[in-house]
Amino acid sequence: MRVEYITARMAWMIYGATGYTGELVAGLAKARGQAPVLAGRSADKVRPLAEKLGLPWRAFGLDAPDLREIALVLNCAGPFSHTSRAMVDACFAARAHYLDVTGEIEVFESIFARDAEARERGVVLLPGTGFDVVPSDCLAATLKKRLPSATSLELAFAPHGRPSRGTLKTMVENLPRGGLVRRGGKLVRVPPAHLAREIPFCDKPRMAMSIPWGDVSTAYKSTGIPDITVFMSARPSAIRGARISRYFAPLLGLGPVQKFLKARVEARGAGPDEAERARGKVELWGKVSDGSRSIEETMQVPEGYTFTAEAALACALRVLSGSVAPGAWTPSLAFGADFAASLPGVHVPSCG
Ligand SMILES: NC(=O)c1ccc[n+]([C@@H]2O[C@H](COP(=O)([O-])OP(=O)(O)OC[C@H]3O[C@@H](n4cnc5c(N)ncnc54)[C@H](OP(=O)(O)O)[C@@H]3O)[C@@H](O)[C@H]2O)c1
């Protein structure tokens, strides 16, 4: 098949630009002198934002995508289980690169499964360009470099800040699915908070519980390490609550329960304000082991949404520059293990 070259002279697009995260990325892009096309399914929402930022705009639903003259789409419209397949299809048809800020394991898996198609079409697929999974993926890749014989990987993060409405909606959808870890190279369902233990974060140790985080998919693609568990810091009461939820997890998937929970989320604010984002930060920790040796690394990054905007914009600009070959990639495979450390406000302290 003939592959047409995607040129940096063409425009790029932020889809879902009117959401909390999309607007942060759009504002940052404008501040950095970029002019992405802002897009979303509602003209009434996209037009005022585009006029405020002085950027071009388009309105379309995913049943009739309009990617004319677009070289790259950064999809910020989540939950991505509802948007990524249609947008990847549209990107293949338009020969545009596809990036998103998903953290959803099933979405990563379905995008990685389209690697061969992406190569054939000359398109880059790069999901997970936000907090989930840029820093943890780079931490995993760094650890694998330091211990190539590693057979197990543990990653953990301790957020200081609150989630956005869109993140909470995505979490509500995933509640009934319980936990997920990787064992022997396979994704394995486990109960919520299957494992809990103290993690030696750089600033202080904290209790943490296992969670179904994106790295269970992406770190395997990046490192090939067969056993992967991701932890998030949590108070003992939250760990007990997550464990109790095992007994009614199937109920959480029922239509009326999902509707009720999403309505409660809808009533909340869109996400942390500027002052909260400025105060927030995230501690990350990772450990690899090969049974006889183990190595640990830590990282500190800015608040999750501030980091997401910086990381997603940096990924989009690097892909537009032509530095990534066609195919489906993780951030560390696309840009190297040092990529996260090159972003503003990221520190790689030596602890312990
Ligand atoms: N990986 C990370 O670290 C990271 C960081 C930030 C956010 N996220 C994820 O990004 C997603 C968005 O978060 P957010 O806080 O920005 O949410 P949000 O404020 O609720 O915004 C969601 C955006 O997506 C659009 N959208 C949703 N479903 C759509 C569909 N079926 N078709 C077209 N557009 C659709 C919405 O359009 P309407 O306004 O028209 O409904 C809105 O523009 C969530 O899944 C969140 O988990 C991930």
Side-chain angles (χ1 to χ4, degrees):
M1 173 179 291
R2 181 164 163 263
V3 173
E4 285 168 26
Y5 287 103
I6 296 168
T7 71
R9 287 192 305 282
M10 291 168 76
W12 65 285
M13 173 182 282
I14 300 173
Y15 189 72
T18 57
Y20 176 78
T21 307
E23 190 169 339
L24 281 183
V25 184
L28 185 66
K30 170 72 184 181
R32 298 275 164 81
Q34 299 295 320
V37 177
L38 305 188
R41 60 183 164 183
S42 158
D44 289 346
K45 291 183 183 176
V46 183
R47 185 192 293 126
L49 176 66
E51 285 173 358
K52 185 176 87 176
L53 293 176
L55 292 173
W57 64 279
R58 270 180 217 180
F60 59 86
L62 288 166
D63 51 348
D66 177 1
L67 302 187
R68 279 166 302 142
E69 298 297 313
I70 293 295
L72 176 151
V73 175
L74 172 60
N75 183 12
C76 292
F80 296 91
S81 51
H82 300 287
T83 65
S84 74
R85 171 156 286 281
M87 189 53 99
V88 170
D89 286 344
C91 284
F92 279 164
R95 304 273 166 78
H97 302 309
Y98 171 91
L99 280 67
D100 69 27
V101 293
T102 190
E104 295 156 63
I105 294 166
E106 288 79 4
V107 172
F108 283 121
E109 293 288 308
S110 68
I111 290 176
F112 294 153
R114 306 186 79 174
D115 176 55
E117 212 180 333
R119 285 170 200 265
E120 193 185 328
R121 297 206 172 238
V123 163
V124 173
L125 300 178
L126 181 56
T129 64
F131 170 73
D132 190 349
V133 291
V134 169
S136 45
D137 188 55
C138 290
L139 203 55
T142 302
L143 285 161
K144 169 73 179 180
K145 264 207 230 172
R146 291 189 59 198
L147 188 65
S149 55
T151 52
S152 85
L153 167 69
E154 291 176 313
L155 295 164
F157 64 97
H160 303 242
R162 65 189 171 97
S164 72
R165 198 158 51 197
T167 299
L168 284 170
K169 270 192 218 162
T170 308
M171 286 163 72
V172 163
E173 290 202 353
N174 286 307
L175 278 175
R177 302 195 178 119
L180 205 60
V181 294
R182 194 171 283 271
R183 294 289 178 264
K186 301 263 180 286
L187 290 170
V188 177
R189 288 256 164 237
V190 291
H194 175 59
L195 300 169
R197 65 184 186 80
E198 193 176 85
I199 301 286
F201 290 104
C202 196
D203 60 343
K204 62 174 186 188
R206 293 179 183 82
M207 278 306 293
M209 62 181 174
S210 56
I211 55 161
W213 201 244
D215 302 272
V216 170
S217 171
T218 50
Y220 182 63
K221 184 169 172 71
S222 299
T223 68
I225 297 174
D227 289 358
I228 301 171
T229 311
V230 184
F231 294 86
M232 182 178 73
S233 64
R235 291 198 197 95
S237 58
I239 297 173
R240 278 196 300 278
R243 287 186 162 163
I244 290 168
S245 77
R246 292 172 187 182
Y247 302 105
F248 51 85
L251 293 177
L252 298 172
L254 297 177
V257 180
Q258 282 278 315
K259 212 168 153 189
F260 169 76
L261 292 174
K262 283 186 181 167
R264 295 207 51 177
V265 169
E266 203 59 57
R268 296 167 57 107
D273 63 24
E274 203 175 334
E276 285 173 279
R277 286 199 305 276
R279 280 196 303 274
K281 64 169 182 149
V282 191
E283 298 279 341
L284 291 107
W285 168 93
K287 177 179 175 180
V288 277
S289 168
D290 66 3
S292 54
R293 281 182 69 205
S294 65
I295 290 176
E296 297 183 23
E297 286 269 354
T298 57
M299 190 184 283
Q300 291 168 342
V301 307
E303 186 273 345
Y305 296 93
T306 299
F307 180 86
T308 292
E310 288 283 0
L313 177 62
C315 288
L317 298 182
R318 285 188 183 217
V319 172
L320 278 172
S321 77
S323 64
V324 182
W329 305 101
T330 63
S332 72
L333 287 175
F335 310 123
D338 296 335
F339 171 57
S342 74
L343 295 169
V346 176
H347 303 287
V348 183
S350 61
C351 295

